[in-house]
Amino acid sequence: MSQSAAITPPARIAVIGLGNMGRPMSACLARAGYHVVGFDISAEARSAYAEAGGTAASTASDAVAGAAAVVTLLGDGKIVRSAIEGVKAHLAPGAVVIDMSSSAPIGTRALGEELIAAGFGFIDAPVSGGVKRAVDGTLAIMAGGDGATIDRAEPVLKAMGKSIFRTGPLGSGHAAKALNNYVSAAGLAAAVEALAIGGRFGIEPEVLVDVLNASTGRNNSTENKLKQFVIPEKYTSGFSLALMAKDIGTADELAHDIGVSAPLADQVTALWSAAMQALGPGADHVEIGRYLTAKR
């Protein structure tokens, strides 16, 4: 395949990271006709992937060998760098690395520049939409990097997402993802506080949610989280509080790194970090409702 050609089926795609998002996103790629080979450091995750019908490699190096694109879905940018450095010698000439993890933008830019200098392609393309939209291939994807490289990777991205946003230079996808989650987290915290205040004054939570959703206070959390998870105390949204806190911190750190004053981001970061410490890393992010209610 030419280094300028679009990566289309049945090209080989390596997926590094077979967690809650990696498994369904791999399945979307396979349904689109790609030859997908997955790898995870967890033997249990590899076994589960294989049992579900996927092709699992025993090592990351085996997974990336001959792959036109390598998709990373890992915990953070430091893990991504370690994984890519470990397989760099085994990457096919001109292969495109697509980091779909939630990584720190400045670290992403540094890693991408190194890979590009070595003759590989690189874009950052984190996602929004959660496991449900990963399963049905309707994720929102924020792609940062060179336009020609995004052009090559676009068929791969379209197999997993419904909306592809070209956000700008390297690292901008990860910046957009972190900023999106910061705004989402701020909205959720504000909505939960509003329910607590309204409840103390005698307004039924469901009634206040209806008011918000018919008014200017409407946001993703009022529509999709309050009645579904927070009010019935069913904390099963599938996205962890620890990951949300990490993404908010990434947005706040970026603001400080580039000299932008963000006092609200500072406070939201502190709030979610305190919630994570109090509830533990295994808590679902909608448990911020439980944390804030307990503090009343």
Side-chain angles (χ1 to χ4, degrees):
M1 178 180 290
S2 166
Q3 291 191 18
S4 60
I7 302 170
T8 56
R12 179 178 172 122
I13 308 292
V15 176
I16 310 300
L18 301 174
N20 289 338
M21 296 294 283
R23 290 191 302 273
M25 290 167 69
S26 295
C28 287
L29 290 169
R31 287 197 299 270
Y34 288 101
H35 173 44
V36 184
V37 181
F39 174 78
D40 195 287
I41 195 171
S42 164
E44 182 179 354
R46 296 196 302 271
S47 295
Y49 182 69
E51 289 172 4
T55 300
S58 57
T59 69
S61 297
D62 288 343
V64 306
V70 177
V71 174
T72 53
L73 286 155
L74 300 169
D76 58 41
K78 293 179 180 178
I79 300 172
V80 171
R81 172 176 281 279
S82 177
I84 294 301
E85 287 179 345
V87 301
K88 186 175 179 181
H90 301 275
L91 293 175
V96 177
V97 175
I98 307 173
D99 183 13
M100 305 189 80
S101 319
S102 294
S103 303
I106 291 177
T108 290
R109 181 169 292 178
L111 175 62
E113 289 173 348
E114 293 169 19
L115 288 171
I116 291 167
F120 303 107
F122 182 91
I123 63 171
D124 52 304
V127 306
S128 181
V131 174
K132 181 179 178 181
R133 288 173 62 185
V135 170
D136 61 22
T138 61
L139 292 165
I141 301 177
M142 297 141 270
D146 175 69
T149 307
I150 297 176
D151 287 342
R152 288 189 63 202
E154 191 167 43
V156 179
L157 301 180
K158 285 184 173 179
M160 298 177 283
K162 181 179 180 180
S163 303
I164 314 297
F165 299 95
R166 298 193 179 208
T167 52
L170 281 177
S172 64
H174 283 143
K177 166 66 182 291
L179 292 167
N180 172 74
N181 277 7
Y182 155 57
V183 173
S184 175
L188 176 55
V192 168
E193 287 188 346
L195 291 187
I197 297 166
R200 179 65 64 89
F201 196 71
I203 304 173
E204 290 296 326
E206 292 83 358
V207 173
L208 185 54
V209 173
D210 290 341
V211 170
L212 293 171
N213 284 335
S215 308
T216 56
R218 184 179 72 249
N219 60 42
N220 177 267
S221 293
T222 64
E223 291 184 326
N224 300 310
K225 298 177 184 178
L226 296 184
K227 285 188 178 181
Q228 294 85 344
F229 302 110
V230 175
I231 294 173
E233 299 181 356
K234 294 180 179 179
Y235 304 122
T236 56
S237 79
F239 186 69
S240 77
L241 194 152
L243 287 176
M244 181 66 91
K246 177 179 75 68
D247 287 349
I248 301 164
T250 295
D252 194 40
E253 181 181 2
L254 177 63
H256 287 276
D257 286 343
I258 62 177
V260 174
S261 176
L264 181 58
D266 293 342
Q267 293 183 36
V268 174
T269 299
L271 170 66
W272 282 80
S273 295
M276 184 183 68
Q277 293 298 320
L279 300 178
D284 192 288
H285 83 287
V286 291
E287 288 188 68
I288 190 72
R290 179 162 70 89
Y291 173 74
L292 289 173
T293 300
K295 290 175 66 66
R296 277 192 296 166

